[in-house]
Amino acid sequence: RKLDLKEGISYETYRFEDQQGRRTCTQSLKFASLSDPNLLIQNIEILAENYTGQLDIKFLMKPEGFNCIYPHLLNLKEITIM
């Protein structure tokens, strides 16, 4: 994890390995708008390092147990990319 305070950008890199030895790397960066407090920009890159195949990704806007105190987030649904 890295936080660039000068640019206001958060960087994260994670590597995962499953029981079959398949390695997946995710890299993301995100930043929030100073002019619009409801705007968050996020870029995610996913790299299958040593395998090929289908990858199913699910983005949850409201994870279980999420205590929503922001009314604009109340009606969001999950997004699934296949």
Side-chain angles (χ1 to χ4, degrees):
R1 239 180 226 191
K2 176 183 164 188
L3 176 59
D4 182 335
L5 292 174
K6 183 177 179 182
E7 298 295 326
I9 300 174
S10 170
Y11 299 90
E12 295 180 4
T13 300
Y14 296 101
R15 281 196 165 73
F16 305 93
E17 186 169 334
D18 67 10
Q19 294 176 343
Q20 288 80 30
R22 297 177 294 198
R23 289 188 310 275
T24 306
C25 177
T26 64
Q27 296 179 326
S28 69
L29 68 85
K30 54 188 152 191
F31 59 92
S33 169
L34 292 175
S35 62
D36 183 351
N38 298 314
L39 180 62
L40 173 70
I41 306 299
Q42 184 169 15
N43 178 51
I44 301 172
E45 295 180 26
I46 301 171
L47 173 65
E49 294 185 336
N50 64 349
Y51 66 97
T52 59
Q54 181 175 330
L55 182 64
D56 294 330
I57 303 169
K58 184 182 280 191
F59 293 94
L60 298 176
M61 299 300 288
K62 290 190 326 182
E64 273 189 46
F66 179 69
N67 185 9
C68 188
I69 58 172
Y70 304 102
H72 64 284
L73 296 178
L74 287 174
N75 294 320
L76 293 177
K77 295 183 171 60
E78 71 181 36
I79 301 168
T80 301
I81 299 173
M82 297 174 87

